[in-house]
Amino acid sequence: MSADGPGHYDVLVIGAGFSGLYALHRLRGLGLRTLVLEKAGEVGGTWAVNRYPGARCDIESIEYSYSFSEEIQQEWVWTETMPAQPEIESYANFVADRLDLRGDIALHTEVIAMTFDEPSSQWRVRTRCGQTFVAPFVVAASGILSVPLEPDIAGMDTFAGTSLFTGRWPRDGVDLGGQRVAVIGTGSTGVQLIPVVARDAAELVVFQRSPAFTLPWRVRPFEPGELDGLKAGYAEIRAAQRAHPVGAARLSAFSVLLEMLARPPIKSATPQERSRAVEEHGVLGALNWGDVFFDIEANRMATELYGEAIARIVDDPDTAAALVPSHPFACKRPIIDQGYYETFNRDNVTLVDLRRGGIEAVTPTGIDTEQGAFEVDVIVYATGFDAMTGALSRIDIRGRDGVALRDVWADEGPVSYLGLQVAGFPNLFTVQGPGSPAAATNFIAALEHHVEWIGDCVSSLRAQGYRTIEALPSAQEEWIEHTTSLVAPTVLVHPTCNSWYNGGNVPGKKRMYMGYTAGLPEYRRRCEEIAAGGYTGFKLS
Ligand code: NAP
């Protein structure tokens, strides 16, 4: 590791996931002595630990990948249209080796506290093992979905069988053959996991608190020569991505939603047109109307149609009815699946709709609910994440006057300027912080822009002799007003929607929509304008 004193660097990066790997490469390339601190024993971040069966990205591999290196995008070989977890993890390792990053990554190094020392304008960063690192700049590349949310269910630790958490699945896998398995949670993770577990396990009991809206999707291996053809046109693919609001121009979970916006309203469709939409296009046809994002009544009408579409797939009418969501469509992140509803026609699968009676406790032999007891050998918790702010709230981060970041977010909600900085925390950059487009975009496309903006910013400050940059409270306030005004007319903020997008999935977390929905090109334009204007909204000193 390159250092001019014990633990002194120009920039410290927290996390060696996709953001941290690129941040290291970029900052090093700018001549900055950079060290990445990673709590895990491997690179890859969220994609290295979410190893549950069925884990897969819902954006196409050729777009869910770094665009900054022509060599990497030409050399790496994707085997499927949408990549599965093992391939994404291998890709992260390939990039780490190809760019010779490992020498500047400290693994098993968990940051637990950091303090901004005002006289020296330096961050002092402490790790669980007691090391201290010092640098003027810190880049938090700690992930938006990196802190699993374990539910607070009585008796969880009394279970005598195997408890598994999708967010930290055992590296060597788990043989579920012949076992009675419970899955708690039916978000993106549960919807991916459930069809695969159903095939492996003797019995599967799905505990569903909120049914999902999910659209069927075909993932397939590339045909011979297909990937080479795509790679030959990579310049056009990347250009189209850059121009696209979600940073992914090909079909993805996000682009389906965007296309819906241009569709005619359900409210002016005739009953025959609505029925035909379901007959011809199933669950997608049920939801494919332009007014569902803005008009809660239209959304309810579409949900009713959605129920009809489910009933055409799921044989048992009770089970089909139990799979119909009660929250508005599109207020949670879109989900795509492979054979989710068909899974409930299997003899070995039981659905427990917790809206009819919730979980009371986990017992040594299984799960007790208000509807009865279920004996199982394995419980899988697919219960989500403390998203966006979770990772940094777990570090004791002290900015100016000793103020703690976790207190600011607890009191004011997940505030930030551009999702890049929080007022009162100079020289601390957040990659994909709250208020940035991350949540509603292709994360890799979004992180590349953030890393590049941060690198240019640090270089420019140093070239001009500035020591600190910090978001102005007024600019932060205006940004939050702007981001929240964008979603105000949509179902994204409907009170019945508890989503990680708005913090409603975490008990006690202050609710605020945490994304930027005007799209990546507009966001990039604003960030470039701010930089070109001498970092408007930031104080430089
Ligand atoms: P999630 O969408 O927040 O879903 C968590 C599920 O657990 C929900 O169904 C939730 O119910 C349930 N749950 C939580 N606590 C519970 C409790 N005490 N009792 C019963 N049920 C409980 O989390 P996720 O599925 O892990 O997905 C999070 C995000 O990760 C996704 O939105 C996506 O961005 C990303 N992800 C992406 C992919 C992909 O690329 N395809 C795959 C997996 C994850 P409620 O809804 O009622 O709270």
Side-chain angles (χ1 to χ4, degrees), residues 8 12 113-126 132-138 396-403 424-428 467-470 541:
H8 283 257
L12 292 165
M114 47 189 270
T115 304
F116 187 68
D117 179 60
E118 301 198 29
S120 66
S121 299
Q122 304 249 34
W123 282 97
R124 293 184 72 78
V125 175
R126 275 195 300 118
T132 299
F133 297 94
V134 179
F137 296 97
V138 174
D396 186 11
I397 300 176
R398 304 279 167 167
R400 286 210 186 276
D401 304 320
V403 171
F425 297 83
N427 293 7
L428 169 59
R467 294 177 71 190
T468 59
I469 178 168
E470 57 191 299
S541 32

Side-chain angles (χ1 to χ4, degrees), residues 177-451:
Q179 311 255 42
R180 297 167 302 169
V181 181
V183 171
I184 302 179
T186 49
S188 299
T189 301
V191 165
Q192 285 188 332
L193 174 86
I194 284 162
V196 183
V197 173
R199 288 198 292 271
D200 292 348
E203 282 175 41
L204 168 63
V205 189
V206 176
F207 292 85
Q208 168 200 267
R209 190 165 70 183
S210 300
F213 285 100
T214 171
L215 303 173
W217 210 266
R218 186 170 162 244
V219 175
R220 59 175 179 82
F222 282 118
E223 303 291 340
E226 186 181 358
L227 182 64
D228 289 339
L230 289 167
K231 283 180 174 178
Y234 237 140
E236 291 81 49
I237 290 172
R238 295 304 190 190
Q241 274 187 263
R242 265 190 291 281
H244 198 277
V246 299
R250 301 167 69 86
L251 278 177
S252 71
F254 292 119
S255 61
V256 173
L257 279 193
L258 277 187
E259 282 168 20
M260 285 177 182
L261 288 173
R263 302 276 308 154
I266 188 170
K267 276 188 155 170
S268 31
T270 63
Q272 291 78 6
E273 284 168 332
R274 287 176 212 157
S275 300
R276 202 163 53 241
V278 172
E279 274 159 29
E280 290 176 4
H281 302 290
V283 289
L284 173 60
L287 302 173
N288 205 8
W289 309 98
D291 47 355
V292 295
F293 296 95
F294 305 101
D295 183 334
I296 196 69
E297 187 46 36
N299 203 298
R300 282 199 194 102
M301 290 165 70
T303 304
E304 204 180 306
L305 272 191
Y306 189 75
E308 288 175 26
I310 295 174
R312 287 167 171 262
I313 309 171
V314 176
D315 299 336
D316 174 51
D318 246 13
T319 306
L323 286 163
V324 182
S326 327
H327 60 272
F329 167 62
C331 83
K332 298 190 182 198
R333 189 183 183 282
I335 305 181
I336 58 180
D337 69 85
Q338 272 112 67
Y340 182 65
Y341 289 122
E342 289 79 357
T343 299
F344 293 93
N345 290 333
R346 295 179 65 106
D347 291 340
N348 67 336
V349 176
T350 305
L351 178 67
V352 181
D353 182 3
L354 297 172
R355 293 172 299 183
R356 299 175 184 172
I359 294 177
E360 288 173 327
V362 173
T363 66
T365 54
I367 297 176
D368 281 358
T369 74
E370 290 164 352
Q371 307 173 50
F374 297 83
E375 291 207 347
V376 291
D377 309 305
V378 179
I379 301 178
V380 180
Y381 296 92
T383 43
F385 300 87
D386 183 356
M388 307 295 294
T389 56
L392 292 185
S393 296
R394 278 157 181 79
I395 300 173
D396 186 11
I397 300 176
R398 304 279 167 167
R400 286 210 186 276
D401 304 320
V403 171
L405 180 58
R406 62 165 72 115
D407 292 342
V408 172
W409 280 344
D411 296 342
E412 299 175 33
V415 293
S416 158
Y417 179 39
L418 301 169
L420 276 162
Q421 270 210 348
V422 181
F425 297 83
N427 293 7
L428 169 59
F429 294 100
T430 48
V431 182
Q432 305 302 316
S436 73
T441 59
N442 174 354
F443 184 68
I444 307 269
L447 77 84
E448 281 189 332
H449 165 253
H450 258 195
V451 165

